[in-house]
């Protein structure tokens, strides 16, 4: 589908990012050409360079924008809570809710990490670690207060993150389960998992 | 790295599959050319066609072989157990152990599902469903016997599978945690998650 956009400013920039996300999601970064991308937004390749310098910049901007938004939104979701169990409930609800509506971003954030140049890779992985650390800290606080029992907090956090992010691969908003049902069940499972028998 | 292989028989077939897996894992299916693949195994493109018909066949064979081995090995791991809790312990240990040694296969089984032609896609997704159904059945038996409590067995199964498969993205055999430690912690978390408070 060709999307025609104005030739200037943030509208074009947004159209390029949306088209880039779609193309990388469908075909992969290595297989996407800037010619194809220009075609998708109704620009000549030459004009595309007024908006993005390289294909690598586009990929980096997509992943960087995704991670920055995610971190900002998480901080809002966790604001003003000091109780680890409450924080974990909020984390689960936030993570599932945020991810089920951004399947393409989540997919390329995993499948195209390999395509980032070393400096870019380090930045994106650093942001991911920052996100993971928020969850690790919640679990560690819970362990310190005696309400959670886990062998190793980072290992517990990686497991929980994988479980919650996995919803992107199977959850359908029009399926038999609502997002609220899903969040209720996964909140219960995650709390049981870390609270122990 | 170029690997030279004999020009006949199963050795070449294996070398082609190994090289194909490596190239798809590093660059993506759409970006891999048969010329590149032939170069990796020290064959002319013309000779490659004696071993594989199309790039699509190669991808399908890789994913099909992976899923068939996985299902066979799971059946062995679960053989002669009728207790849901014991079966779930075996499932966790089996799944983690099998997956941490096959990261490339697991990666392309997720990232390149999009690249399968419709008939091939249906076959691979059917095999995956068969694997998922084994876990769903274990959970349902546990619920029926009153030892597990979950809202919805398939949703619980998808969460557990994502958590366990996620180890491929972060576990390092030379890290601070052994595979046995990992399996112990994840077995406890999964059992707690489904047994409830």
């Amino acid at each position: 589908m060709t999307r025609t956009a104005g030739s200037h400013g943030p509208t074009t920039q947004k159209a390029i990012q949306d088209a880039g996300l779609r193309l990388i999601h469908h075909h992969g970064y290595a297989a996407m050409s800037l010619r194809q991308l220009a075609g998708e937004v109704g620009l000549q390749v030459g004009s595309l360079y007024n908006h993005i310098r390289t294909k690598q910049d586009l990929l980096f901007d997509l992943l960087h924008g995704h991670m920055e938004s995610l971190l900002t939104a998480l901080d809002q979701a966790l604001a003003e809570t000091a109780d680890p169990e409450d924080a974990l409930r909020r984390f689960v609800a936030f993570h599932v809710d945020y991810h089920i509506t951004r399947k393409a971003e989540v997919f390329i954030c995993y499948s195209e990490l390999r395509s980032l140049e070393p400096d870019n890779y380090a930045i994106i992985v650093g942001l991911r670690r920052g996100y993971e650390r928020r969850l690790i800290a919640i679990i560690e606080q819970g362990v310190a207060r005696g309400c959670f029992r886990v062998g190793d907090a980072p290992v517990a956090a990686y497991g929980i993150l994988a479980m919650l992010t996995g919803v992107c691969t199977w959850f359908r908003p029009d399926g038999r389960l609502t997002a609220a049902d899903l969040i209720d069940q996964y909140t219960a499972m995650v709390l049981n998992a870390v609270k122990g028998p």
Side-chain angles (χ1 to χ4, degrees), chain A:
Chain A
M1 189 178 64
T2 300
R3 289 178 53 161
T4 307
S7 60
H8 303 294
T11 314
T12 307
Q13 193 74 23
K14 179 72 169 61
I16 291 168
Q17 290 216 333
D18 290 350
L21 176 62
R22 211 162 53 235
L23 288 171
I24 295 172
H25 183 217
H26 287 162
H27 308 293
Y29 173 79
M32 181 188 75
S33 72
L34 289 185
R35 179 169 304 278
Q36 201 177 11
L37 178 60
E40 280 279 312
V41 289
L43 289 175
Q44 298 296 316
V45 177
S47 309
L48 188 67
Y49 289 113
N50 295 328
H51 302 280
I52 59 165
R53 287 189 310 143
T54 63
K55 200 167 85 160
Q56 176 67 204
D57 280 1
L58 174 73
L59 178 64
F60 176 73
D61 287 347
L62 283 170
L63 299 187
H64 190 255
H66 174 61
M67 286 309 306
E68 289 279 8
S69 310
L70 180 67
L71 282 159
T72 305
L74 176 64
D75 283 342
Q76 287 166 0
L78 294 180
E80 294 172 27
T81 177
D83 174 58
E85 187 167 327
D86 178 50
L88 188 53
R89 286 180 186 279
R90 291 193 195 194
F91 187 96
V92 172
F94 165 75
H95 189 93
V96 170
D97 186 58
Y98 195 91
H99 282 72
I100 53 178
T101 56
R102 290 168 182 86
K103 292 183 183 186
E105 286 91 337
V106 173
F107 180 85
I108 73 165
C109 213
Y110 169 66
S111 65
E112 298 297 358
L113 270 187
R114 64 181 169 188
S115 304
L116 288 170
E117 290 167 4
D119 288 356
N120 290 339
Y121 179 88
I123 294 168
I124 299 302
V125 169
L127 291 170
R128 284 169 63 127
R129 292 221 188 292
Y131 188 79
E132 291 163 3
R133 270 198 301 269
R134 305 282 210 287
L135 178 57
I136 294 169
I138 293 170
I139 296 171
E140 285 175 341
Q141 282 162 16
V143 171
R145 294 191 192 182
C147 49
F148 298 162
R149 282 191 289 175
V150 297
D152 182 283
V155 168
Y158 302 152
I160 291 166
L161 284 168
M163 172 178 164
L164 300 181
T165 305
V167 298
C168 293
T169 66
W170 63 266
F171 181 74
R172 302 282 170 270
D174 55 354
R176 65 191 165 80
L177 210 74
T178 66
D181 294 335
L182 172 62
I183 288 170
D184 282 349
Q185 180 166 347
Y186 277 11
T187 300
M189 286 178 72
V190 166
L191 281 169
N192 292 339
V194 299
K195 290 172 85 169

